[in-house]
Amino acid sequence: MLIVQKFGGTSVANTERIKSVAARVAKYHAKGDQIVVVVSAMSGVTDGLIKLAKEIMPLPSEREMDVLLATGEQTTIALTAIALHALGLPAASLTGAQAGIVTDGVHTKAKIQNITPRKIHELLNADKVVIVAGFQGQTREGQITTLGRGGSDLTAIALAAALKANLCQIYTDVDGVYTADPRLVPTARKLTEISYDEMLELASLGAKVMQSRSVEFAKKFGVVFEVRSSLNDNPGTIVKEETKGMEDVVIRGVSLDKNQAKMTLVGVPDRPGIAASIFKSLADGAINVDMIVQNASHGSETPATDLSFTVDRADLLKAGKIIDELRSSIGIRDVVAAEKMGKLSIVGVGMRSHSGVAAKMFDTLAQAGINIEMISTSEIKISVVIELSKAEPAMRAVHAAFLG
Ligand code: ASP
Ligand code: MG
């Protein structure tokens, strides 16, 4: 079998951890498997390098940032190869460029254009374990690039696709994907499987297990992978295309984003172009607006409406300034900000075929005395915005109602 194994920053945090990665790889190698290992930088290293550059200037050249950040993964590939040599295993490290990973030229967030894994095949055929630096590639012109934060996941998934690997394992510091964050919900369970779409929803909702782009890539190319722990031998969670049986489960997971803030514009003139100008100004200020709710219009001569939206809490002040600048020109009567909000979501492909899911969620919250301030839904997700102080008990109540 050809196996791609990816180890994240915490799994290679120090030489002890790197030795235990090598021991795990050795076990698979002893079974006769061909192994391609992808590693991240040791945990904290990428952040540390960014900090160094910013001590010199606030906005360093992105080309130089890529040259700098790529050293993090280059350190780990060499140390991992050395750890394998120490166990008597033949192993060789490759940078992204050496592994044949070609990207576009968008420094610090390059996209993989294609992979020519000739060197990898050569080494595998010579019975070597191949260790590839995650997160990096090179342009056709030979410039070093990086794939955006968390990009080692993408390297692993893309290599698994290019090599037609039989197995792709993403090793991390958790046992897999859970029905909810076990630190917040003690009854949360590890899932044996989850569909790409559910995984994507949970990741974008704050359950940060993997870089979202890598899951999108896996979906596009049908790469089945397993998220599992580098600290034990427990089976993890298989992430794959939706199968028939998956719809039998109504809800796969519950997630909570504690970083929301809400802004309500009271008495906004209700005429064409107003929403466009408000949200254009916010977008120009690089503010990511998540949920938007507009109420029914009131007043007949000069109809007005109330408009609420959510942003990341860190963006609230900036959003407030932008709205203040518009306020008199548009004629907004009042602006109310709520700083501490949470977004609670339930996700599951089973929602498509089960009715009454939203009603059950709202009823559960009502019985817990929790007021819902905003609601949004998609095909496989229902989200509500609630007061942050009630968010954790709300999460536990909803998890208990759907997942026990
Ligand atoms: N070292 C890079 C980062 O911290 C890539 C990765 O860890 O996946 O973002
Ligand atoms: Mg990482």
Side-chain angles (χ1 to χ4, degrees):
M1 281 218 295
L2 199 162
I3 309 179
V4 172
Q5 299 185 321
K6 183 257 171 177
F7 295 90
T10 51
S11 306
V12 292
N14 51 48
T15 48
E16 280 314 308
R17 289 281 177 88
I18 291 175
K19 285 189 220 169
S20 90
V21 165
R24 185 183 295 270
V25 172
K27 255 200 280 175
Y28 279 90
H29 187 262
K31 285 191 257 172
D33 295 324
Q34 292 190 310
I35 302 164
V36 175
V37 178
V38 175
V39 284
S40 294
M42 296 160 86
S43 72
V45 165
T46 307
D47 287 335
L49 292 169
I50 293 173
K51 188 161 165 283
L52 285 178
K54 295 203 165 163
E55 278 171 24
I56 301 173
M57 72 186 286
L59 272 182
S61 136
E62 292 185 325
R63 178 189 183 279
E64 300 310 329
M65 284 312 286
D66 278 352
V67 175
L68 178 66
L69 296 192
T71 64
E73 272 71 10
Q74 190 165 335
T75 304
T76 350
I77 52 170
L79 291 174
T80 307
I82 292 167
L84 284 161
H85 294 165
L87 297 177
L89 257 72
S93 65
L94 296 175
T95 63
Q98 291 173 322
I101 298 173
V102 177
T103 73
D104 64 18
V106 184
H107 285 291
T108 77
K109 35 184 174 303
K111 288 203 165 61
I112 295 178
Q113 286 183 331
N114 74 287
I115 300 184
T116 320
R118 193 177 41 80
K119 193 82 204 155
I120 297 180
H121 282 303
E122 251 172 56
L123 291 166
L124 287 176
N125 291 339
D127 195 34
K128 289 203 161 67
V129 175
V130 183
I131 300 136
V132 179
F135 175 59
Q136 54 175 264
Q138 103 175 328
T139 64
R140 279 180 210 292
E141 295 75 39
Q143 303 285 341
I144 295 175
T145 52
T146 64
L147 308 175
R149 296 306 304 270
S152 300
D153 289 333
L154 184 60
T155 304
I157 301 284
L159 276 178
L163 297 167
K164 300 191 174 56
N166 305 90
L167 203 59
C168 178
Q169 300 175 321
I170 307 290
Y171 285 93
T172 176
D173 52 358
V174 293
D175 264 355
V177 185
Y178 277 72
T179 53
D181 183 340
R183 286 166 302 186
L184 303 179
V185 182
T187 52
R189 294 187 312 272
K190 185 175 65 188
L191 294 162
T192 48
E193 57 177 25
I194 185 171
S195 72
Y196 297 123
D197 288 333
E198 290 168 331
M199 180 83 176
L200 281 166
E201 287 287 12
L202 287 171
S204 69
L205 294 170
K208 280 262 165 291
V209 191
M210 274 180 79
Q211 189 210 35
S212 290
R213 258 176 76 195
S214 64
V215 182
E216 280 160 14
F217 191 102
K219 180 183 176 189
K220 192 163 160 197
F221 293 95
V223 178
V224 176
F225 60 93
E226 180 186 14
V227 178
R228 56 185 292 169
S229 172
S230 63
L231 303 171
N232 56 48
D233 285 322
N234 301 341
T237 303
I238 305 285
V239 187
K240 60 178 191 184
E241 195 49 67
E242 188 179 329
T243 54
K244 200 87 204 77
M246 282 185 177
E247 281 207 25
D248 296 344
V249 179
V250 183
I251 295 302
R252 190 80 52 204
V254 179
S255 81
L256 177 62
D257 178 349
K258 297 194 207 169
N259 277 313
Q260 297 271 307
K262 185 180 77 160
M263 199 160 228
T264 302
L265 315 185
V266 183
V268 182
D270 192 8
R271 52 168 202 270
I274 297 293
S277 72
I278 290 171
F279 291 106
K280 165 109 184 13
S281 303
L282 290 167
D284 289 346
I287 294 195
N288 232 329
V289 174
D290 182 9
M291 242 185 251
I292 302 173
V293 171
Q294 179 177 317
N295 288 349
S297 207
H298 41 81
S300 50
E301 252 169 55
T302 49
T305 183
D306 300 338
L307 194 62
S308 296
F309 57 88
T310 58
V311 294
D312 267 3
R313 187 165 313 122
D315 284 340
L316 183 64
L317 271 181
K318 195 170 171 201
K321 280 206 192 104
I322 292 172
I323 297 298
D324 271 345
E325 281 162 23
L326 291 174
R327 201 168 153 180
S328 56
S329 67
I330 291 185
I332 300 169
R333 183 147 46 82
D334 204 1
V335 180
V336 188
E339 203 190 331
K340 293 196 169 147
M341 306 303 293
K343 180 170 74 170
L344 177 66
S345 308
I346 56 178
V347 172
V349 292
M351 254 180 234
R352 295 200 196 105
S353 48
H354 291 79
S355 55
V357 180
K360 181 169 172 182
M361 181 186 196
F362 303 158
D363 187 48
T364 305
L365 293 169
Q367 290 196 22
I370 292 157
N371 188 42
I372 301 172
E373 305 207 10
M374 296 168 96
I375 300 169
S376 85
T377 64
S378 79
E379 219 194 350
I380 64 165
K381 176 186 70 177
I382 302 168
S383 301
V384 297
V385 172
I386 54 183
E387 246 178 56
L388 188 60
S389 61
K390 308 247 172 76
E392 289 185 15
M395 185 183 198
R396 285 189 280 271
V398 169
H399 189 278
F402 286 99
L403 294 153

